[in-house]
Amino acid sequence: MARFRLLADEHQARSPLRQLWREFARQHSAVAGLALFSAFFVLAIIAPLLTPHAPYLQNDNLLLLPPSWSELGLVQYPFGTDDLGRDMFSRFLVGTRYTFGIAVITVLGALIAGLLLGTLAGMSRGVKSSVFNHILDLALTIPSLLLAIIIVAILGPGLLNTIWAIMLALLPQFVHGVRNAIAEQLNQDYVIAYRLDGANNLQVFRRIILPNIWERLTVTATMALSTAILDIAALGFLGLGAQAPTAEWGAIIADSLDLIYVAPIGVALPGLLIFLAVLSVNLVGDGLRTAVKKRREN
Amino acid sequence: MTLYLLRRLFLLAFVLLALSLLAFSLAYMFPGDMLQNLTGLRYIAPEQVAVLTAEYRLDQGYLAQYIAYLQRILSGNWGLSFASQQPLLQEIGLLLPATLELAAYALLISFFAGIPLGIIAAVKPEGVISKGISALAITGYSMPVFWWALLLIMLFSLGLGWLPTAGRIGVLYEVKHVTGFMLMDILLSDSAHRNDALLNALRHMLLPTLVLATYPTTVMIRFTKDSMLEVWEQSYIKTARAKGLNRLQVLYRHGLRNALLPVIRQIGLQFSTLITLAMITEVIFSWPGIGRWLIDSIYQRNYPAIQAGLLVISTLVISVNMLTEILHTLFNPLARKR
């Protein structure tokens, strides 16, 4: 491929975002993943409006109702009820908010904190940045579940406390990513040219660094999101995260585990939902990664 | 290279020091009485308090306490477990090999299944086989490990009845603890039922290892494939082809050697995730390893155990990280220069 072109062709004249979308839309699996991801996202926002029954309302007359496709089931309760007479379908819907929605918030928090710390580390030099790096390396080596165990031991179990643990576990990869990307950008000629024009650090960061690293950040964020969903569900399942009545998918599985012979759907479906949520995130992440690579090659 | 090794060792020492500081400060942050958290004694008689305070140097400043803590750690006096009132170090010594065994077999499976599959997937990236392998990889990568374990138990243990659901070996067999690695211990023992015991242990091991191996295998497939595709584009591959080497020769002499370098590094980076997954797997399969012990410790508010677990597991992960990094540098002359 020629290195320089005098006339930009139509494809190159598009904005980077549109080029990215073009490459992304070519991959069917990625688009399917995006559709699924959007569905989960919308569900996480409007789930309380869609639930046919209150997810925490216990109905003594309808304990362990089978799903509606069995002969004993009721059509009002599509997936039946659990051992306390709560509607499964409503609980699954609301669970989207906990497992998926909170994972998104956690990743956003880690992203913002990582961007701040990574920028500080990337822009500073010398001993300060070296010490900072080693502390990060330490944080990177503590397994996320162990970190969660320690935080739960100090603060007690609960969804909010485990969120801190997961955020802390996700943080190093963001800081590392941002720091490396910034170090790479600062060596570019256009940064020096911009500095010679009199730009200060803040301007360099806003006008040059940020537009150049957001693609990579998005890819890191999707990878982190899949980890966050899996961690929240696993901690809920172990009883360290979301506590019993909360309709978090992992906690629902733990609740229904002793009824697995009577009502296998309570274990099967939330697991499937977790799997689908993570799958959609991974498909989007893979698609984005490929699209970014192809766009840069063009 | 020597300088590089020295620098790595210095870094290792620094990270371990920071880790010990973290573990030390936990005793102050955990709820409950600090002296109990430090010693692991559930009941301390009033006349004992003064003796122990002097021994743990709690009457002196934080620095003196920290030094005392380091001395205790180095001399092997890690305190007692709240739950069993046994010395922690001894308890960990019994549990850690079980976790290591599980993780080691899972890693081995991921090597022998993941790398070849990744290479096959990279041969024709747009072909049906490659697409199939990639689909399989992303499925395995997205699977919540506890659900996957439950599904396999439902199918193979409860449904078909082929494999046991929990434990490391049947209760009928008594294997003496020598190395802590079940298979090795069985081979070392001279019982008449050695072969039966071995078969039994393997049957117990199959499901947990499979469940744990799923994640590293898929990571291995993805990384081998990506790195293989990248290497295949390089000009030295073209040169090798132009010289007249056939595909297999190029693959072995030039492709694999370069493509597997980032994969080595990935093992170190993924090791901490592997340990997290091992802990969950142990809980589900009642595998008597350190992960299940730690999660039990949190239910029992067993703070000394959590502190010791942090120290051991993090040291393990840090060492593996460091080892893979050094191996990577050893195999890759380009990385040595930096």
Side-chain angles (χ1 to χ4, degrees), chain A:
Chain A
M1 192 188 293
R3 228 188 152 86
F4 298 103
R5 284 188 205 171
L6 278 180
L7 289 171
D9 58 23
E10 189 195 5
H11 180 58
Q12 282 195 316
R14 291 168 209 258
S15 77
L17 198 62
R18 292 189 71 175
Q19 287 175 30
L20 190 69
W21 170 248
R22 234 175 101 94
E23 292 296 343
F24 187 85
R26 277 189 188 161
Q27 307 165 54
H28 300 294
S29 59
V31 176
L34 186 65
L36 201 59
F37 180 82
S38 319
F40 275 118
F41 197 83
V42 171
L43 256 187
I45 294 170
I46 61 167
L49 302 175
L50 295 180
T51 51
H53 306 271
Y56 300 110
L57 182 73
Q58 304 181 1
N59 191 339
D60 296 345
N61 303 321
L62 295 168
L63 298 184
L64 281 174
L65 197 70
S68 59
W69 56 81
S70 100
E71 292 210 346
L72 297 168
L74 286 175
V75 78
Q76 294 93 322
Y77 295 87
F79 295 120
T81 56
D82 65 4
D83 53 337
L84 295 173
R86 296 172 294 192
D87 177 36
M88 290 282 211
F89 181 57
S90 307
R91 284 174 71 74
F92 294 157
L93 278 182
V94 173
T96 319
R97 290 203 127 181
Y98 291 106
T99 313
F100 186 82
I102 289 186
V104 171
I105 295 173
T106 313
V107 169
L108 281 183
L111 176 69
I112 292 168
L115 194 60
L116 268 174
L117 290 175
T119 312
L120 284 180
M123 294 274 200
S124 68
R125 292 230 164 74
V127 183
K128 204 166 46 171
S129 107
S130 155
V131 166
F132 187 72
N133 254 332
H134 293 333
I135 291 174
L136 266 183
D137 282 341
L138 174 68
L140 201 62
T141 53
I142 301 181
S144 59
L145 185 56
L146 189 60
L147 207 60
I149 286 180
I150 290 168
I151 290 192
V152 165
I154 296 173
L155 300 174
L159 192 54
L160 191 68
N161 295 342
T162 49
I163 287 174
W164 294 120
I166 294 169
M167 220 184 260
L168 215 60
L170 293 179
L171 194 58
Q173 53 180 334
F174 281 112
V175 181
H176 262 290
V178 172
R179 205 186 66 88
N180 291 343
I182 287 183
E184 201 176 285
Q185 287 296 321
L186 284 181
N187 281 333
Q188 301 289 341
D189 289 342
Y190 48 74
V191 175
I192 298 168
Y194 194 41
R195 278 200 194 283
L196 286 175
D197 280 348
N200 60 22
N201 266 344
L202 192 70
Q203 281 166 328
V204 169
F205 177 70
R206 264 191 47 210
R207 298 274 166 78
I208 291 191
I209 291 176
L210 215 50
N212 272 309
I213 64 172
W214 71 264
E215 273 177 348
R216 224 176 307 173
L217 268 185
T218 322
V219 174
T220 319
T222 50
M223 295 295 156
L225 185 56
S226 75
T227 320
I229 297 175
L230 286 176
D231 277 359
I232 288 180
L235 288 168
F237 175 74
L238 292 174
L240 305 177
Q243 294 300 302
T246 313
E248 195 270 325
W249 290 336
I252 295 180
I253 296 184
D255 268 358
S256 331
L257 202 53
D258 30 352
L259 295 167
I260 193 164
Y261 282 113
V262 193
I265 199 147
V267 172
L269 221 63
L272 193 66
L273 285 170
I274 300 170
F275 168 65
L276 284 179
V278 179
L279 184 69
S280 76
V281 173
N282 280 337
L283 284 176
V284 172
D286 273 9
L288 259 180
R289 212 161 45 123
T290 317
V292 168
K293 215 169 106 190
K294 283 204 175 142
R295 191 186 75 78
R296 294 201 174 241
E297 276 169 10
N298 280 335

Side-chain angles (χ1 to χ4, degrees), chain B residues 116-132:
Chain B
L117 280 175
I119 294 171
I120 293 170
V123 172
K124 266 191 192 162
E126 298 300 322
V128 181
I129 300 173
S130 166
K131 288 244 165 90

Side-chain angles (χ1 to χ4, degrees), chain A residues 134 141 143 238 267 282 286, chain B residues 11 141-142 147 222 299 317 321:
Chain A
H134 293 333
T141 53
L238 292 174
V267 172
N282 280 337
D286 273 9
Chain B
L11 181 64
Y141 193 69
S142 312
W147 189 59
R222 286 157 65 99
Y299 299 143
V317 176
N321 257 333

